[in-house]
């Protein structure tokens, strides 16, 4: 019991001593993670089913992306704010890891479809 209390006290002390970077949360890109909630970017990504997951940045325009998160780890990170992932949105795609798309600017698509007309 005393060993457990000493261990917990040490963990809390280490967490308080380094407030700019969390011990388990607020992780930077490249650090090992268990779930996306731990990463500053909001994306915990793995390359294959057997690889370790690491924090990664969200997808920029024309990058591959995932449209749906079934588990707490992505195979392709979602798009940055303001971009939309154009791809498969089915639950089956998320189970079989085929729910990948491409990050696109929704405003850019709308401008092409509806050009400005001068009257």
């Amino acid at each position: 019991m005393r060993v457990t209390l000493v261990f917990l006290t040490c963990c809390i002390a280490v967490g308080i001593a380094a407030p700019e970077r969390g011990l388990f949360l607020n992780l930077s890109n490249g650090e090992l993670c268990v779930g996306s909630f731990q990463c500053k970017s909001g994306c915990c990504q793995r390359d294959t089913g057997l690889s370790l997951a690491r924090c990664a940045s969200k997808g920029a325009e024309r990058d591959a992306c995932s449209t749906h998160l079934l588990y707490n780890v992505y195979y392709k990170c979602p798009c940055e704010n303001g971009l939309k992932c154009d791809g498969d949105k089915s639950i089956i795609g998320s189970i079989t890891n085929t729910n990948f798309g491409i990050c696109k600017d929704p405003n850019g698509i709308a401008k092409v479809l509806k050009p400005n007309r001068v009257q």
Side-chain angles (χ1 to χ4, degrees), residues 88-110:
D88 181 17
K89 295 183 180 176
S90 69
I91 193 84
I92 302 299
S94 107
I95 293 170
T96 59
N97 297 322
T98 58
N99 62 336
F100 305 132
I102 302 293
C103 292
K104 294 183 179 179
D105 183 4
N107 296 328
I109 296 169

Side-chain angles (χ1 to χ4, degrees), residues 20-103:
E20 70 276 351
R21 186 181 147 263
L23 192 58
F24 300 110
L25 299 174
N26 205 21
L27 300 176
S28 298
N29 289 349
E31 295 187 89
L32 293 175
C33 55
V34 176
S36 295
F37 64 92
Q38 292 180 290
C39 304
K40 285 181 189 177
S41 66
C43 178
C44 184
Q45 176 184 348
R46 71 175 66 223
D47 294 327
T48 65
L50 299 176
S51 65
L52 295 173
R54 296 184 179 274
C55 293
S57 58
K58 291 191 175 181
E61 195 167 2
R62 290 186 230 113
D63 283 349
C65 57
S66 287
T67 58
H68 189 269
L69 174 68
L70 182 63
Y71 310 106
N72 209 12
V73 177
Y74 290 97
Y75 282 90
K76 304 284 183 189
C77 286
C79 301
E80 295 174 341
N81 291 337
L83 299 177
K84 183 178 179 181
C85 189
D86 186 24
D88 181 17
K89 295 183 180 176
S90 69
I91 193 84
I92 302 299
S94 107
I95 293 170
T96 59
N97 297 322
T98 58
N99 62 336
F100 305 132
I102 302 293
C103 292

